[in-house]
Amino acid sequence: MSEKDNLPSADGNEELKGEAITTDHTGTENQNTIKNDTSSTEEPESSNPVEEQPVSDASQETVENAETPIESETAIPKTSYEAPVQKKDAHVDEIEESNAEDAEDEGNVERHSLEEKDYHAMTMEQLVDEFEGLLKSKKVQTIKSHIEEIKTEFNSKFSEILEEKKEEFISEGGSEIDFFYSSPLKKRFNALYKDYKNSLTAYYKTLETNLKSNLENRLRIIEDIKGLINVEENINTTYKHFKDLQEEWRIAGPIPRDKYNNAWNTYHHHVEIFYDFLHLNRDLRDMDFKHNLDQKLKIIDRAEELAQDDNSNRAFRELQVLHKMWKEDLGPVDKEHREAIWERFSNATKTIHDKRQAYYVDVDKAHEANLEKKEAIIAKIEAIAQDDLSSHQAWQNKIKVIEDLRKEFFNAGKVPIKVNEATWAKFKSAVRTFNKKKNSFYKGLKKDQYTNLQKKLELIQTAEDHKDSDDFDTVTPLMKKIQNEWKAIGHVPRKDSDKIWKRFKAACNHYFDKLNAERNAANKGQVEAFDKKTKMLDELKDLQLSGTPEADLEMIKQKTEEWNALGPVPQNKRFIEGKFNKTLDGLFNDLKLDKSEVEMIKFENKLEHLSQPDDTRLLDNEHHFIRKKIDEVRGEINQLENNLQFFSNIDKTNPLVKDVLNNIENHKENLAVWEEKFKKLKELY
């Protein structure tokens, strides 16, 4: 394998005075004859310009897209001899092509060190944040591929939302021609992208000028090196001048990428000619050869270390730098070492190249696995899209499931490039099918909501028509009825919900506030009655009986009449009636009277408080309670009488029989009291 940096590409064929120079496969010059007279070497004809390399499609973009080839008015002369056709190795070609790409802008090497991220898995918010971070912290010329990938992912996700919003707009009766949708996030992205394009345009406008200037400077250096063999001066002085020109070349800066390889080959060719010229002073040449050998051996050692690195991408990036140093910073070595060191360097390069290829094979396998995951997710979405759902809650549950599947899809990783667009299209189609069915359901639901809206508007009209009415007996039940109907109607469109509720609530509150004010005025006397009853209750607690049952009973009846004469109390104060009854119970217990008589006196007093002109609920409850007690007592009596039938001879002297008979008699007395209470209660109805 030939030593690449010693093999200039043959772009033309010019003659030198004296014997021609040929090159063997090692890159060592085979000088048959060359005259010692430095004037015997003729400069190549500058009128024979180099043919430009073909420009790729990518390089024909505008300066705005950072790929415009930069033309130079100064042509690079062809090399002055024709090298034999040489075999190209893929692993070396890959390095040279990458270095040629970086040659136009030395700072562009930074793009290799940027972290590779899975933009596909990011949300739109994360993509915009990532865009902003790159724009603020990185050189604009180094982030092109990252920004374009971010742009692709952002636009894909936004287009999905756009389609969904458009379908919703049309489903609600909108016209497609009137549809427009944007968002603060989209506006933020557009602003960032505009800043990026402006910065990139400004950068490449400046770079174009610098590239032309650097190319002219490098061509001047080549001309100066060519002129060294015609200078009549001390060889040491000439050699020093040569080393100064080499240093100038090293720091001369980037040039157009399409001029890179030919410029370097032309430079290297004339450096070789100068080294041939140095055969008159072998010490200087050998010193250079030794220096170059030492440096190249160090490069080889580092390359062989990199060949053991498991991170093939990192190793490849550093290998690019090593090849650039080998090619641009160092000259040739002695013939006896050229083949051997190049073989070592080439072998290390091939090892790194092969490991990198294997890495990409593994990446491809991972992408295939990701494809299987995404196809499974798409299948789940398609299955869900076939479900027929009939309730809002069911749709909300499925919407959450679909959203989780969308996140899972984006987090599944990249798929092979060849199926990326098809997979994305299939995913969007599945989601779109689901969204169409969802929108169709909610379109019908919205129709029901508009019907509900009309019903509630009618209730509002009823409430507003009666809110100022004084006919409380008629309107109060009506207002309660429409309140219950409102609750049963169901949802209305969200945009109308708060507005109509406030109207309905205001009308109802207005009426019931008026009703309460009326009742409060009527309740003024009830409040006074409560105060008087409270005072009377305190007096009853200190009441002392005379010990004569008839007189004490008459006194209790009188107190009861006085209490009832005070009138009803507010509803929330009726607890005082319970306190009064409890006090009476204590007084009756001290009397030596028939229990039934006492019970009826207490019940009659109770009925006074159950009778409310505007509320029969208390009487209804008491009616239900007494009927239940009568049924229970009758049941007990029947049960006891049935138990007596188990005795063969009913002997009333039998203690057990006697106990049952007494129990039956007590229940009958109790039943008589409950029936009398029921009779009194019916009289009130």
Side-chain angles (χ1 to χ4, degrees), residues 506-521:
C508 292
N509 286 348
H510 179 84
Y511 173 78
F512 284 106
D513 287 345
K514 184 176 181 181
L515 175 63
N516 290 333
E518 186 75 15
R519 285 180 173 175
N520 288 337

Side-chain angles (χ1 to χ4, degrees), residues 24-42:
D24 62 19
H25 73 286
T26 64
T28 305
E29 298 81 357
N30 183 8
Q31 183 180 359
N32 296 326
T33 306
I34 187 167
K35 295 186 178 181
N36 293 339
D37 184 0
T38 58
S39 63
S40 65
T41 303
E42 183 178 345

Side-chain angles (χ1 to χ4, degrees), residues 361-400:
V361 169
D362 291 339
V363 169
D364 289 341
K365 290 180 181 178
H367 288 175
E368 289 290 346
N370 295 341
L371 177 61
E372 292 181 5
K373 294 178 185 176
K374 289 194 171 184
E375 287 179 338
I377 293 169
I378 292 171
K380 290 180 182 179
I381 295 174
E382 289 174 338
I384 292 174
Q386 299 306 314
D387 291 343
D388 291 322
L389 307 175
S390 58
S391 71
H392 168 70
Q393 188 58 49
W395 275 105
Q396 289 302 306
N397 292 338
K398 291 300 183 183
I399 289 171
K400 185 178 185 304

Side-chain angles (χ1 to χ4, degrees), residues 160 164 167 430-440:
E160 184 186 3
E164 185 174 344
E167 288 176 3
V431 174
R432 190 180 301 115
T433 300
F434 173 81
N435 286 335
K436 283 182 178 179
K437 293 190 71 172
K438 177 196 69 176
N439 292 338
S440 177

